[in-house]
Amino acid sequence: MPAPTHDWTERSRELAQLLARSGLGDRAAFAMLYEKSSSHLFAVVLRICRDRAQAEDILQEVYVNVWRAASGFDAAQSQPLTWLTSIARNRAIDSLRRAQTQPQLQPAHTGAGDEDSDVYDTTADDRPGPLDLLSRASDARVLSHCMQDLSPPQRQSVALAFYDGLSHAEVAEKMGQPLGTVKSWVRRALLSLKSCLEQAARRDDQSAEGR
């Protein structure tokens, strides 16, 4: 596998192997991939569409896409859970568009509950999100530059949540920090990364147009 997978968690390596086998038509591997990733992807879809029955239907569409596209997964470009999450998020947004509705931005919360809010609970527009931008960041120097703008706890929490695929609760346990604190770190880090990566993407587009 042409990727530096030695730095990956055991879970990421296992998912990558299951994707590779699924790409070869191994249905048993695909069933195991579904078992190990569906709860995470369902949560991603549900945060966008908000309707549980609809989210269940979308999840099935997601895995149809995954089955068809598994052979195209490139471990050199992204980790498996990042790739899967991008498919789920895009499919959920496409479903909302088909229904001629737009994801609604929730008003910012203030007060004690703010620390426990999740950026994906309050940001579900149809522009590329921070996770999409992370998965598209093919220039490692750009991503490294953006990551350096984060505080050390923010960098660690984002890496654990989105590169290792841990839940917020698992990140909090691993870092020995309160859940609300970790959610706040992740939320602020994603917003910062989104801004930085969007600026880099605009610069790339402008450079391409000037050629």
Side-chain angles (χ1 to χ4, degrees), residues 7 20 22 39 51 91 105 108 111-112 143 151 154-155 162 168 181:
D7 290 333
S22 297
S39 61
D51 180 272
R91 175 57 67 175
L105 290 175
L143 181 56
S151 68
Q154 287 176 332
R155 284 199 298 271
F162 292 100
H168 284 155
T181 299

Coordinates of all heavy atoms in Angstrom, one line a residue, residues 7 20 22 39 51 91 105 108 111-112 143 151 154-155 162 168 181:
D7 N 2.4 5.1 10.6 CA 2.0 6.1 11.6 C 0.5 6.0 11.9 O 0.0 6.7 12.8 CB 2.3 7.5 11.1 CG 3.8 7.8 11.1 OD1 4.5 7.1 11.9 OD2 4.2 8.6 10.3
A20 N -9.5 -2.3 0.7 CA -8.7 -2.9 -0.4 C -9.4 -4.2 -0.8 O -9.5 -4.5 -2.0 CB -7.3 -3.1 0.0
S22 N -12.5 -5.1 -0.2 CA -13.8 -4.8 -0.8 C -13.7 -4.3 -2.2 O -14.5 -4.7 -3.1 CB -14.5 -3.6 0.0 OG -14.7 -4.0 1.4
S39 N -21.6 3.1 12.3 CA -22.1 3.9 13.4 C -21.5 5.3 13.3 O -22.2 6.3 13.5 CB -21.8 3.3 14.8 OG -20.3 3.2 15.0
D51 N -33.1 13.9 10.3 CA -34.2 12.9 10.3 C -33.7 11.5 10.3 O -33.0 11.1 9.4 CB -35.1 13.1 9.1 CG -36.3 12.2 9.1 OD1 -36.2 11.0 8.6 OD2 -37.4 12.5 9.6
R91 N -22.9 12.7 0.3 CA -24.2 12.0 0.0 C -25.3 12.7 0.8 O -26.4 12.9 0.2 CB -24.1 10.6 0.3 CG -25.4 9.8 0.1 CD -26.0 9.9 -1.3 NE -25.1 9.3 -2.3 CZ -25.5 9.2 -3.6 NH1 -26.6 9.7 -4.0 NH2 -24.7 8.7 -4.4
L105 N -28.1 26.7 8.9 CA -27.1 27.1 10.0 C -27.8 27.4 11.3 O -28.8 28.2 11.3 CB -26.3 28.3 9.5 CG -25.3 28.1 8.4 CD1 -24.7 29.5 8.0 CD2 -24.3 27.2 8.7
A108 N -25.4 30.6 16.8 CA -24.4 30.3 17.8 C -25.0 30.3 19.2 O -25.8 31.2 19.5 CB -23.3 31.3 17.7
G111 N -23.2 30.6 26.6 CA -23.5 30.1 27.9 C -22.9 28.7 28.1 O -22.0 28.3 27.4
A112 N -23.3 28.1 29.2 CA -22.6 26.8 29.6 C -22.7 25.8 28.6 O -21.7 25.0 28.4 CB -23.2 26.3 30.9
L143 N -1.0 21.9 4.5 CA -1.7 21.3 5.7 C -0.8 21.5 6.9 O -1.3 21.9 8.0 CB -2.0 19.9 5.5 CG -2.8 19.2 6.6 CD1 -4.0 19.9 7.0 CD2 -3.1 17.7 6.3
S151 N -3.0 25.5 18.5 CA -2.3 25.2 19.7 C -2.0 23.7 19.8 O -2.7 22.9 19.2 CB -3.1 25.7 20.9 OG -4.3 24.8 21.0
Q154 N -5.0 21.6 20.5 CA -5.9 21.6 19.3 C -5.4 20.6 18.3 O -6.2 19.9 17.7 CB -6.1 23.0 18.7 CG -6.9 23.9 19.6 CD -7.0 25.3 19.0 OE1 -6.0 25.8 18.3 NE2 -8.1 26.0 19.3
R155 N -4.1 20.7 18.0 CA -3.5 19.8 17.0 C -3.7 18.3 17.4 O -4.1 17.5 16.6 CB -2.0 20.1 16.8 CG -1.7 21.3 16.0 CD -0.3 21.3 15.5 NE 0.7 21.3 16.6 CZ 1.2 22.4 17.2 NH1 0.8 23.6 16.8 NH2 2.1 22.3 18.1
F162 N -9.9 13.1 13.8 CA -10.1 12.9 12.4 C -9.1 12.1 11.6 O -9.4 11.6 10.6 CB -10.2 14.3 11.7 CG -11.4 15.1 12.2 CD1 -11.4 16.0 13.2 CD2 -12.7 14.8 11.6 CE1 -12.5 16.7 13.6 CE2 -13.8 15.4 12.1 CZ -13.7 16.3 13.1
H168 N -15.3 12.0 20.2 CA -14.9 13.0 21.2 C -14.7 12.5 22.6 O -13.7 12.8 23.3 CB -16.0 14.2 21.3 CG -15.9 15.1 20.1 ND1 -17.0 15.8 19.7 CD2 -14.9 15.4 19.2 CE1 -16.7 16.5 18.6 NE2 -15.4 16.3 18.3
T181 N -14.2 20.4 27.2 CA -12.9 21.0 26.8 C -12.4 20.5 25.4 O -12.0 21.3 24.5 CB -11.8 20.8 27.8 OG1 -12.3 21.4 29.1 CG2 -10.5 21.5 27.4

